[in-house]
Amino acid sequence: MKTFCGRANPTTGALDWVEESEEYDYHQEIARSCYADMLHDHDRNEKYYQGIRAAVARVQARGEKVIVLDIGTGTGLLSMMAVTAGADFCYAVEVFKPMAEAAQCIVEKNGFSDKIKIINKHSTDVTVGPDGDMQMKANILITELFDTELIGEGALPSYEHAHQYLVQEGCEAVPHRATVYAQLVESELLWSWAQLQPVEVEGARLVPPPAVGCCAGSHSVCDIQLSQVSPNSFTPLGPLCTMFSVDFSKPVSSAFQSHSSQFMAQSGGRAHVVLSWWDLDMDPSGSIVCTMAPGWTYPQPKTAPWRDHWMQSVYFLPVESRVTEGEELSLTVCHDDYSLWYSLQSHSQQDSQAKALPSRPSCTCQAHLVWTRPRFGELNDRQRSESYVSALRSVLREDSVCLGISDGSLLPVFAHMLGAKKVFGLENSRMSKQVIEQVMEANLMKEGVELLEMRPDQLTSNDLGGEQISVLMGEPYFSTSLLPWHSLFFWYCRTALAGLLQPSATILPCAATLHMVAVEFQDLWRIRAPCGTCEGFDVTPMDEMVQKSLDFRESREAEPHPLWEYPCRALTQSTAVMTFDFTQCVPRQPISSQGSLPFIRIGRCHGVALWMEYHLTSDITVSAGLIGSISEQGDCEWSRHRKQGVYFFSSPWESSGDGRAAVSYSFTFEPSLGDIKMDFSIKSQ
């Protein structure tokens, strides 16, 4: 049996439905999972183990038989901890079939088959009774149902059901309690991910549409590695507030709730963003705590545990508001069964809005549906905009006829402001077209750019009013792109439009280069590293399961990661490995490139980082990867706007840094596929 999977086609920019093996879907799920990351999280494992031992001891002290329910067991690790701590029996629930099968193998391998029963169901389908999945209700509830937002994986409905049907009244719970914290801050950097800022173009000011400025935006959480956001890039306006706690040992409700925290503003400024994270108290006394607090809250930031399965959250307030030092404020968080949202009220507003709870934010301007948060940041990057304006200024003439090809791009608007005779823009969707139309209307240039909702291969001379294109421009940015080289769709567009271009037409960017550097990751390596033994338990069946799924396809491909969130050191020089000449049409024959990069720094090489650089003109380049030179120690600074490609080696390589070993590479661009095949190996010289 086959399955159909949606995949962006780099040659058309469209979503294609590709026939895959029936196993493809769950191989993808396993290969991209965070199971290894969780097992490498020693702090999490240790705190759970301590909490489980304490809970088992409390039940035994009451003279009761210890029956454990472990919801979301994954590898079965927590159940094995419980049995080792003295539990009489564990019911371990895992809904994902391949993971449940791996858990069964792990439980058997570690000799716990007689005391742990793996139940391959969603916990809400589990039954209790003589003929049920569980013989009796449990008196210890162990769970790992949390995501970065705490409740986003359906923790509350699962707990609600468990207390009603699966556990005894007054049961012990590990974790015992979760507490959510929040802090109000001003941050131009973070706010630039939520709202379009004015842009200066040749002394004129391009302003955002009013509808965008007053839109509450998307309600979905922005989850990031907040440890990588420097405290210098935000100003706290209030203290860290305790917003609410959930006691998991008692009945839990998944109904809508709201909680408020009153405080006095510590400093004046503009309230933009709420930073949020949570703690888990593993025992009732709160003496065993697993915290998600970012590294900069620690006296020694480098001692903070790293994890990618749980990060921190950024919530954007519906509107920017000014606060004054000493002002009495109230921060309110609301949540349903799956998500949270925040609002801010001053003391005077609290009286008038006492009965009105803030509704869940939803985008009314469409811009937050068209532009992702990194895309907002990219559009608000002044230095980047100046590069495009400078490049356009250098190629535009009074008689220029311009065509822009990018999704939701301001380049056509820039070209009009710079005095082009006629400007057209191709948009891939009606919504994207309408957002750019809002921008033009807000800046009284409704007739300045003609936006066309069609594919490049559909465009005719009639659509252009008989004009020939003298400047074809793109950022290039396409919403369907996942990996850096997927933006080569621009090249295919340029090729499809060849018949509509003037013989001397300018292509901007005129070329792109693919770059690579071999790196040592500070922490990201954990998501791909086998675990072997975890807290004394053999979990190699999970390693084998993940490797099998990686071998299915993933290990031969790069994967996208925002490397600004994941520090790494360069162990080789960076180099351009392929060049794509946009002034020419896409060639019919494959383009190949081979070479090697010697290791010049001591370290452990985990893989290769890949990114694109766009050469707008002969002297203006925009990087979607490294921004700035690599430091002497190998530290790298990455663009926050685009994801880079990462090719992980199957096992790390210890570099002596003396140039005697090198990363050999081979790249092949397949024009018929619009994709790049790559291969790497380490060779000693």
Side-chain angles (χ1 to χ4, degrees):
M1 183 178 173
K2 299 285 186 180
T3 185
F4 287 92
C5 301
R7 187 175 302 150
N9 184 332
T11 65
T12 65
L15 188 70
D16 288 351
W17 290 99
V18 182
E19 190 178 66
E20 294 282 5
S21 156
E22 63 179 327
E23 296 182 326
Y24 177 79
D25 230 10
Y26 82 71
H27 277 304
Q28 281 278 95
E29 180 75 17
I30 295 166
R32 298 292 194 221
S33 71
C34 286
Y35 293 120
D37 170 34
M38 288 188 279
L39 293 181
H40 281 296
D41 186 349
H42 176 67
D43 178 73
R44 161 196 173 270
N45 301 339
E46 184 180 45
K47 300 294 174 54
Y48 260 100
Y49 211 166
Q50 291 173 5
I52 288 168
R53 282 195 287 258
V56 169
R58 288 194 298 274
V59 173
Q60 289 176 331
R62 297 198 293 264
E64 299 175 22
K65 192 175 181 180
V66 180
I67 306 299
V68 173
L69 171 61
D70 174 9
I71 300 179
T73 194
T75 59
L77 175 67
L78 303 184
S79 288
M80 293 189 294
M81 287 178 176
V83 171
T84 303
D88 294 285
F89 200 82
C90 289
Y91 296 101
V93 181
E94 175 55 53
V95 69
F96 187 41
K97 186 176 181 180
M99 197 68 242
E101 291 171 350
Q104 187 66 56
C105 291
I106 290 169
V107 164
E108 290 173 4
K109 194 174 186 73
N110 287 274
F112 293 110
S113 298
D114 59 332
K115 289 200 171 185
I116 299 175
K117 179 183 179 182
I118 304 296
I119 303 171
N120 180 209
K121 286 184 175 183
H122 193 285
S123 65
T124 55
D125 296 324
V126 171
T127 56
V128 179
D131 299 319
D133 301 304
M134 299 171 61
Q135 292 295 297
M136 63 192 78
K137 289 186 176 183
N139 51 17
I140 295 182
L141 175 58
I142 300 173
T143 57
E144 209 283 53
L145 297 170
F146 314 113
D147 69 349
T148 292
E149 203 173 13
L150 183 67
I151 64 172
E153 290 186 2
L156 295 181
S158 297
Y159 272 114
E160 189 172 41
H161 177 270
H163 276 287
Q164 287 176 344
Y165 301 105
L166 306 179
V167 297
Q168 299 173 19
E169 185 178 351
C171 73
E172 300 288 342
V174 182
H176 178 82
R177 181 190 307 109
T179 303
V180 174
Y181 303 95
Q183 186 168 39
L184 179 70
V185 305
E186 174 183 342
S187 174
E188 288 286 354
L189 170 66
L190 298 178
W191 192 238
S192 73
W193 299 351
Q195 289 293 341
L196 189 63
Q197 308 297 329
V199 184
E200 297 291 333
V201 181
E202 293 291 274
R205 189 175 170 85
L206 184 71
V207 298
V212 177
C214 64
C215 178
S218 171
H219 78 275
S220 61
V221 65
C222 177
D223 53 341
I224 61 172
Q225 292 283 357
L226 203 54
S227 296
Q228 301 308 315
V229 177
S230 168
N232 295 329
S233 62
F234 61 86
T235 302
L237 301 179
L240 184 65
C241 300
T242 301
M243 298 308 300
F244 67 93
S245 293
V246 183
D247 185 335
F248 298 125
S249 69
K250 298 176 181 177
V252 171
S253 172
S254 62
F256 171 91
Q257 292 184 37
S258 69
H259 310 270
S260 294
S261 180
Q262 283 73 39
F263 60 92
M264 193 171 288
Q266 294 177 339
S267 61
R270 291 167 297 162
H272 289 141
V273 178
V274 174
L275 309 181
S276 182
W277 56 87
W278 43 267
D279 286 353
L280 294 176
D281 289 332
M282 295 298 181
D283 65 328
S285 68
S287 59
I288 308 168
V289 181
C290 185
T291 178
M292 304 309 119
W296 36 257
T297 65
Y298 284 67
Q300 295 180 311
K302 290 186 178 180
T303 64
W306 183 87
R307 35 190 153 238
D308 206 42
H309 51 104
W310 296 330
M311 293 186 277
Q312 295 81 35
S313 301
V314 172
Y315 296 92
F316 301 97
L317 291 175
V319 293
E320 173 185 288
S321 57
R322 186 163 287 280
V323 301
T324 57
E325 185 176 353
E327 184 178 3
E328 292 184 26
L329 300 171
S330 177
L331 187 64
T332 298
V333 62
C334 299
H335 71 81
D336 53 20
D337 50 349
Y338 279 90
S339 59
L340 285 71
W341 60 96
Y342 283 83
S343 64
L344 179 71
Q345 299 87 29
S346 65
H347 185 69
S348 57
Q349 290 174 320
Q350 291 173 45
D351 297 333
S352 60
Q353 300 177 0
K355 296 180 180 179
L357 286 170
S359 59
R360 181 209 296 266
S362 61
C363 177
T364 54
C365 71
Q366 300 188 100
H368 299 91
L369 305 178
V370 168
W371 293 326
T372 63
R373 285 164 180 142
R375 179 61 173 158
F376 265 102
E378 187 167 60
L379 293 171
N380 287 325
D381 185 330
R382 292 186 181 90
Q383 187 174 345
R384 182 178 180 278
S385 295
E386 287 169 5
S387 294
Y388 280 97
V389 169
S390 296
L392 282 171
R393 188 193 309 115
S394 71
V395 303
L396 289 180
R397 305 291 178 264
E398 289 183 0
D399 60 349
S400 292
V401 177
C402 304
L403 175 64
I405 304 175
S406 280
D407 293 348
S409 175
L410 298 177
L411 286 196
V413 181
F414 292 170
H416 170 70
M417 296 175 74
L418 290 166
K421 171 188 165 186
K422 185 66 180 173
V423 183
F424 299 91
L426 289 188
E427 287 292 347
N428 73 334
S429 71
R430 182 157 302 173
M431 193 178 294
S432 183
K433 176 173 175 278
Q434 289 171 345
V435 168
I436 302 302
E437 284 174 343
Q438 286 184 63
V439 173
M440 294 190 296
E441 190 171 345
N443 290 276
L444 305 177
M445 54 175 77
K446 197 170 183 182
E447 308 301 322
V449 179
E450 187 173 342
L451 297 175
L452 306 168
E453 186 191 339
M454 61 176 67
R455 298 196 313 268
D457 60 349
Q458 297 173 321
L459 193 68
T460 67
S461 181
N462 289 337
D463 297 314
L464 302 175
E467 299 274 12
Q468 280 194 308
I469 302 163
S470 60
V471 178
L472 180 66
M473 56 191 180
E475 302 188 34
Y477 170 83
F478 303 101
S479 58
T480 53
S481 296
L482 298 175
L483 288 160
W485 44 94
H486 289 172
S487 60
L488 290 176
F489 175 51
F490 177 79
W491 204 6
Y492 290 85
C493 296
R494 177 259 182 270
T495 303
L497 294 165
L500 299 176
L501 300 177
Q502 290 182 10
S504 59
T506 297
I507 313 296
L508 188 158
C510 59
T513 45
L514 175 65
H515 293 248
M516 67 166 273
V517 64
V519 297
E520 174 186 50
F521 283 109
Q522 182 175 301
D523 295 297
L524 189 63
W525 60 269
R526 300 171 198 271
I527 69 171
R528 291 289 167 266
C531 297
T533 301
C534 180
E535 311 305 328
F537 301 99
D538 186 343
V539 294
T540 51
M542 190 217 67
D543 292 335
E544 292 163 3
M545 176 188 74
V546 171
Q547 190 58 51
K548 181 181 176 183
S549 291
L550 286 168
D551 290 342
F552 185 78
R553 175 174 296 160
E554 298 300 317
S555 62
R556 300 190 298 275
E557 296 181 350
E559 54 190 75
H561 289 283
L563 291 186
W564 73 268
E565 293 186 56
Y566 304 105
C568 61
R569 287 177 59 243
L571 300 181
T572 66
Q573 292 181 333
S574 65
T575 188
V577 293
M578 297 195 88
T579 299
F580 311 96
D581 184 358
F582 296 157
T583 65
Q584 304 297 315
C585 291
V586 176
R588 296 187 178 182
Q589 299 301 317
I591 304 173
S592 296
S593 171
Q594 297 85 32
S596 63
L597 277 175
F599 286 107
I600 59 173
R601 295 182 183 89
I602 297 172
R604 175 173 258 209
C605 182
H606 297 111
V608 169
L610 302 139
W611 69 97
M612 297 289 281
E613 293 189 2
Y614 304 104
H615 307 284
L616 308 186
T617 63
S618 60
D619 59 349
I620 300 176
T621 296
V622 172
S623 175
L626 275 181
I627 49 174
S629 301
I630 296 170
S631 77
E632 205 171 302
Q633 293 74 34
D635 297 326
C636 304
E637 185 180 0
W638 300 94
S639 167
R640 285 190 173 97
H641 310 319
R642 305 273 181 111
K643 290 183 179 180
Q644 291 73 43
V646 177
Y647 187 106
F648 287 100
F649 294 153
S650 56
S651 57
W653 173 269
E654 299 293 341
S655 163
S656 58
D658 56 9
R660 293 184 182 179
V663 180
S664 294
Y665 59 83
S666 173
F667 292 89
T668 301
F669 171 68
E670 297 281 358
S672 61
L673 301 175
D675 209 356
I676 295 177
K677 301 299 180 186
M678 59 191 69
D679 187 49
F680 301 94
S681 60
I682 309 289
K683 292 185 179 177
S684 297
Q685 307 259 351

